[in-house]
Amino acid sequence: MFSAALKPIAQRDGSTHRVWVSEIPISFAEQVEADLFYQALGRTIGRWSTLEHYLGQMFTRVTNMEEVVSRSVFHSARSWRARYDMLMSALDASASKPGVVESWKSVVSMANSYAAFRNVLAHDHVQLAGLNKANGARLLVIRSAQADLRASDRSPFYHRNHIENAGVNFHLLGATVVHAIAHPEGDQLGSPERLQWLLSLLPAQPFQASIRRERQTDFELGLQRQSFPH
Protein backbone atom coordinates (compact mmCIF):
# COMPACT_ATOMS: atom_id res chain seq x y z
CA MET A 1 0.00 0.00 0.00
CA PHE A 2 1.62 3.24 -1.18
CA SER A 3 1.10 6.72 0.15
CA ALA A 4 3.00 10.01 0.04
CA ALA A 5 4.00 12.95 2.18
CA LEU A 6 5.33 16.45 1.63
CA LYS A 7 9.12 16.55 1.93
CA PRO A 8 11.33 19.66 1.84
CA ILE A 9 13.80 19.54 -1.03
CA ALA A 10 16.77 21.91 -0.94
CA GLN A 11 17.22 24.23 -3.93
CA ARG A 12 20.50 25.61 -5.28
CA ASP A 13 19.68 29.08 -3.99
CA GLY A 14 19.37 27.74 -0.46
CA SER A 15 15.57 27.78 -0.35
CA THR A 16 13.41 24.69 0.07
CA HIS A 17 10.54 23.43 -1.99
CA ARG A 18 7.97 20.91 -0.78
CA VAL A 19 7.24 17.98 -3.08
CA TRP A 20 5.19 14.80 -2.68
CA VAL A 21 7.42 11.80 -1.95
CA SER A 22 6.07 8.24 -1.95
CA GLU A 23 6.21 6.34 1.31
CA ILE A 24 5.47 2.71 2.10
CA PRO A 25 4.23 1.52 5.51
CA ILE A 26 6.94 -0.75 6.84
CA SER A 27 5.29 -2.42 9.81
CA PHE A 28 2.43 -4.85 10.28
CA ALA A 29 0.71 -2.33 12.56
CA GLU A 30 0.82 0.28 9.79
CA GLN A 31 -0.65 -2.17 7.31
CA VAL A 32 -3.50 -2.88 9.74
CA GLU A 33 -4.08 0.87 10.11
CA ALA A 34 -4.11 1.23 6.34
CA ASP A 35 -6.60 -1.62 5.91
CA LEU A 36 -8.97 -0.09 8.47
CA PHE A 37 -8.63 3.32 6.83
CA TYR A 38 -9.46 2.08 3.34
CA GLN A 39 -12.30 -0.11 4.61
CA ALA A 40 -13.87 2.98 6.20
CA LEU A 41 -13.24 5.03 3.07
CA GLY A 42 -14.82 2.47 0.74
CA ARG A 43 -17.81 1.91 3.03
CA THR A 44 -18.49 5.64 3.33
CA ILE A 45 -18.24 6.34 -0.40
CA GLY A 46 -20.56 3.38 -0.98
CA ARG A 47 -23.09 4.86 1.43
CA TRP A 48 -22.98 8.14 -0.45
CA SER A 49 -23.75 6.26 -3.65
CA THR A 50 -26.74 4.68 -1.91
CA LEU A 51 -27.90 8.11 -0.75
CA GLU A 52 -27.78 9.40 -4.35
CA HIS A 53 -29.75 6.33 -5.46
CA TYR A 54 -32.49 7.17 -2.94
CA LEU A 55 -32.53 10.79 -4.12
CA GLY A 56 -33.02 9.44 -7.64
CA GLN A 57 -36.08 7.59 -6.34
CA MET A 58 -37.31 10.87 -4.88
CA PHE A 59 -36.90 12.40 -8.35
CA THR A 60 -39.06 9.58 -9.72
CA ARG A 61 -41.78 10.28 -7.16
CA VAL A 62 -41.73 14.04 -7.70
CA THR A 63 -41.82 13.91 -11.51
CA ASN A 64 -44.27 10.97 -11.79
CA MET A 65 -42.10 9.53 -14.55
CA GLU A 66 -41.80 5.83 -15.17
CA GLU A 67 -38.93 4.64 -13.01
CA VAL A 68 -36.78 3.45 -15.90
CA VAL A 69 -37.17 6.85 -17.58
CA SER A 70 -36.60 8.96 -14.46
CA ARG A 71 -33.56 6.93 -13.48
CA SER A 72 -32.07 7.45 -16.92
CA VAL A 73 -32.76 11.19 -16.79
CA PHE A 74 -31.49 11.68 -13.23
CA HIS A 75 -28.27 9.74 -13.78
CA SER A 76 -27.64 11.35 -17.16
CA ALA A 77 -26.24 14.23 -15.11
CA ARG A 78 -22.65 13.24 -14.37
CA SER A 79 -22.02 15.57 -11.44
CA TRP A 80 -23.69 15.82 -8.06
CA ARG A 81 -24.39 19.52 -8.57
CA ALA A 82 -26.31 18.85 -11.78
CA ARG A 83 -28.40 16.15 -10.08
CA TYR A 84 -29.04 18.44 -7.14
CA ASP A 85 -30.21 21.27 -9.43
CA MET A 86 -32.43 18.86 -11.37
CA LEU A 87 -34.11 17.54 -8.22
CA MET A 88 -34.59 20.98 -6.68
CA SER A 89 -36.11 22.27 -9.93
CA ALA A 90 -38.50 19.32 -9.98
CA LEU A 91 -39.50 20.08 -6.38
CA ASP A 92 -40.07 23.75 -7.22
CA ALA A 93 -42.45 22.68 -10.00
CA SER A 94 -44.17 19.99 -7.92
CA ALA A 95 -47.91 20.08 -7.26
CA SER A 96 -47.46 18.50 -3.83
CA LYS A 97 -48.46 20.30 -0.67
CA PRO A 98 -46.18 23.32 -0.06
CA GLY A 99 -45.14 22.13 3.40
CA VAL A 100 -44.19 18.73 2.03
CA VAL A 101 -42.18 20.28 -0.81
CA GLU A 102 -40.27 22.53 1.57
CA SER A 103 -39.45 19.68 3.94
CA TRP A 104 -38.23 17.53 1.03
CA LYS A 105 -36.10 20.45 -0.17
CA SER A 106 -34.57 20.63 3.32
CA VAL A 107 -33.58 16.97 3.04
CA VAL A 108 -32.02 17.55 -0.39
CA SER A 109 -30.26 20.68 0.85
CA MET A 110 -28.65 18.73 3.66
CA ALA A 111 -27.42 16.18 1.12
CA ASN A 112 -25.94 19.09 -0.83
CA SER A 113 -24.15 20.36 2.28
CA TYR A 114 -22.75 16.84 2.85
CA ALA A 115 -21.60 16.53 -0.78
CA ALA A 116 -18.52 18.70 -0.27
CA PHE A 117 -17.03 16.17 2.13
CA ARG A 118 -17.92 13.33 -0.23
CA ASN A 119 -15.81 15.15 -2.83
CA VAL A 120 -12.92 15.35 -0.35
CA LEU A 121 -13.15 11.58 0.15
CA ALA A 122 -13.32 10.84 -3.56
CA HIS A 123 -10.77 13.29 -4.93
CA ASP A 124 -8.35 14.54 -2.30
CA HIS A 125 -4.97 13.16 -1.33
CA VAL A 126 -4.30 10.29 1.09
CA GLN A 127 -1.03 10.57 3.01
CA LEU A 128 0.75 9.34 6.10
CA ALA A 129 0.66 11.67 9.09
CA GLY A 130 0.73 11.35 12.86
CA LEU A 131 1.12 8.28 15.03
CA ASN A 132 -1.17 5.78 16.68
CA LYS A 133 -0.03 6.05 20.30
CA ALA A 134 -1.18 2.50 21.01
CA ASN A 135 1.11 0.77 18.49
CA GLY A 136 3.42 3.45 17.12
CA ALA A 137 2.08 3.08 13.59
CA ARG A 138 1.85 6.12 11.36
CA LEU A 139 -1.71 7.05 10.50
CA LEU A 140 -3.30 7.63 7.11
CA VAL A 141 -5.24 10.85 6.65
CA ILE A 142 -6.94 12.70 3.83
CA ARG A 143 -5.70 16.22 3.24
CA SER A 144 -8.03 18.72 1.63
CA ALA A 145 -6.90 19.88 -1.80
CA GLN A 146 -8.07 23.37 -0.82
CA ALA A 147 -5.32 23.57 1.78
CA ASP A 148 -2.46 26.01 1.37
CA LEU A 149 0.67 23.86 1.00
CA ARG A 150 2.76 26.69 2.43
CA ALA A 151 0.83 26.48 5.69
CA SER A 152 0.58 22.75 6.20
CA ASP A 153 0.30 23.09 9.97
CA ARG A 154 -3.02 24.86 9.43
CA SER A 155 -4.29 22.54 6.71
CA PRO A 156 -7.31 20.35 7.40
CA PHE A 157 -6.59 16.65 7.86
CA TYR A 158 -9.38 14.10 8.07
CA HIS A 159 -8.74 10.92 10.04
CA ARG A 160 -10.48 7.56 9.96
CA ASN A 161 -12.96 8.60 12.67
CA HIS A 162 -14.09 11.53 10.48
CA ILE A 163 -14.65 9.13 7.59
CA GLU A 164 -16.57 6.68 9.79
CA ASN A 165 -18.75 9.54 11.10
CA ALA A 166 -19.58 10.51 7.53
CA GLY A 167 -20.53 6.92 6.71
CA VAL A 168 -23.06 6.85 9.53
CA ASN A 169 -24.47 10.26 8.64
CA PHE A 170 -24.79 9.42 4.93
CA HIS A 171 -26.64 6.26 5.94
CA LEU A 172 -29.04 8.08 8.30
CA LEU A 173 -29.73 10.82 5.77
CA GLY A 174 -30.49 8.12 3.19
CA ALA A 175 -32.96 6.59 5.65
CA THR A 176 -34.64 9.99 5.94
CA VAL A 177 -34.99 10.22 2.15
CA VAL A 178 -36.58 6.76 2.05
CA HIS A 179 -38.94 7.76 4.86
CA ALA A 180 -40.00 10.89 2.96
CA ILE A 181 -40.65 8.88 -0.22
CA ALA A 182 -42.75 6.37 1.71
CA HIS A 183 -45.06 9.15 2.95
CA PRO A 184 -45.27 11.55 -0.01
CA GLU A 185 -48.47 13.37 0.95
CA GLY A 186 -47.27 14.51 4.33
CA ASP A 187 -49.38 12.20 6.47
CA GLN A 188 -48.60 11.97 10.17
CA LEU A 189 -45.56 9.76 9.61
CA GLY A 190 -44.26 11.92 6.78
CA SER A 191 -45.23 15.31 8.13
CA PRO A 192 -42.88 18.25 7.53
CA GLU A 193 -42.43 18.55 11.30
CA ARG A 194 -41.26 14.94 11.55
CA LEU A 195 -38.79 15.33 8.69
CA GLN A 196 -37.39 18.50 10.23
CA TRP A 197 -37.00 16.69 13.54
CA LEU A 198 -35.14 13.82 11.88
CA LEU A 199 -32.82 16.29 10.18
CA SER A 200 -32.20 18.05 13.49
CA LEU A 201 -30.64 14.85 14.84
CA LEU A 202 -27.89 14.96 12.20
CA PRO A 203 -24.76 17.13 12.54
CA ALA A 204 -24.23 20.13 10.28
CA GLN A 205 -21.11 18.56 8.77
CA PRO A 206 -20.96 14.84 7.94
CA PHE A 207 -17.49 14.32 9.41
CA GLN A 208 -18.63 15.58 12.81
CA ALA A 209 -19.44 13.12 15.55
CA SER A 210 -22.58 11.23 14.65
CA ILE A 211 -25.62 11.45 16.87
CA ARG A 212 -25.19 9.75 20.22
CA ARG A 213 -26.24 6.12 20.41
CA GLU A 214 -29.38 6.91 22.38
CA ARG A 215 -30.35 9.62 19.90
CA GLN A 216 -29.61 7.26 17.02
CA THR A 217 -32.13 4.90 18.55
CA ASP A 218 -34.60 7.80 18.69
CA PHE A 219 -33.83 8.50 15.03
CA GLU A 220 -34.50 4.93 13.97
CA LEU A 221 -37.66 4.69 16.05
CA GLY A 222 -38.73 8.07 14.73
CA LEU A 223 -39.05 6.53 11.30
CA GLN A 224 -41.80 4.32 12.70
CA ARG A 225 -43.58 6.18 15.53
CA GLN A 226 -47.02 7.69 15.13
CA SER A 227 -45.83 10.86 16.88
CA PHE A 228 -42.40 12.39 17.13
CA PRO A 229 -40.74 13.45 20.39
CA HIS A 230 -40.49 17.17 21.11
Side-chain angles (χ1 to χ4, degrees):
M1 190 285 301
F2 291 85
S3 185
L6 277 172
K7 295 293 184 181
I9 303 298
Q11 306 296 302
R12 289 182 179 180
D13 62 3
S15 63
T16 59
H17 177 66
R18 289 176 178 269
V19 298
W20 293 110
V21 178
S22 294
E23 294 186 347
I24 306 174
I26 58 174
S27 70
F28 175 76
E30 285 181 352
Q31 188 60 59
V32 170
E33 290 285 349
D35 289 345
L36 292 172
F37 179 91
Y38 282 111
Q39 286 171 15
L41 182 60
R43 183 184 308 112
T44 297
I45 290 177
R47 285 179 170 176
W48 175 266
S49 298
T50 300
L51 171 58
E52 282 204 46
H53 170 73
Y54 292 150
L55 290 167
Q57 292 182 330
M58 178 180 281
F59 181 76
T60 299
R61 182 59 64 93
V62 172
T63 60
N64 291 317
M65 293 182 183
E66 292 185 11
E67 184 172 359
V68 66
V69 176
S70 68
R71 185 180 301 173
S72 178
V73 170
F74 186 75
H75 292 283
S76 67
R78 298 303 182 187
S79 70
W80 157 254
R81 184 67 198 189
R83 293 175 184 175
Y84 166 78
D85 288 342
M86 189 184 304
L87 181 51
M88 291 295 271
S89 294
L91 285 166
D92 284 337
S94 173
S96 297
K97 298 175 183 177
V100 174
V101 169
E102 291 306 312
S103 65
W104 283 30
K105 289 175 69 174
S106 295
V107 174
V108 179
S109 293
M110 176 160 278
N112 189 50
S113 70
Y114 279 12
F117 189 65
R118 176 269 173 195
N119 290 339
V120 169
L121 300 181
H123 302 299
D124 285 352
H125 184 69
V126 176
Q127 69 180 74
L128 289 160
L131 292 174
N132 182 330
K133 294 181 180 179
N135 57 22
R138 290 172 297 176
L139 299 174
L140 283 169
V141 298
I142 292 180
R143 179 179 183 156
S144 171
Q146 302 300 318
D148 183 348
L149 298 184
R150 296 166 300 179
S152 60
D153 59 326
R154 296 195 300 272
S155 302
F157 290 89
Y158 299 106
H159 293 260
R160 174 159 53 92
N161 65 299
H162 296 123
I163 298 170
E164 291 171 342
N165 287 343
V168 172
N169 292 323
F170 291 167
H171 171 71
L172 294 177
L173 184 55
T176 305
V177 174
V178 171
H179 181 74
I181 295 169
H183 304 281
E185 295 306 318
D187 59 19
Q188 190 175 15
L189 281 174
S191 67
E193 293 80 9
R194 175 180 290 276
L195 289 179
Q196 291 296 335
W197 172 72
L198 290 171
L199 291 177
S200 75
L201 296 179
L202 298 175
Q205 295 295 332
F207 55 81
Q208 292 174 333
S210 302
I211 54 180
R212 298 191 306 273
R213 177 61 58 184
E214 61 270 20
R215 296 203 77 191
Q216 185 169 336
T217 299
D218 282 347
F219 184 100
E220 293 165 350
L221 291 176
L223 300 177
Q224 306 169 18
R225 290 175 178 161
Q226 294 300 313
S227 60
F228 61 94
H230 294 278

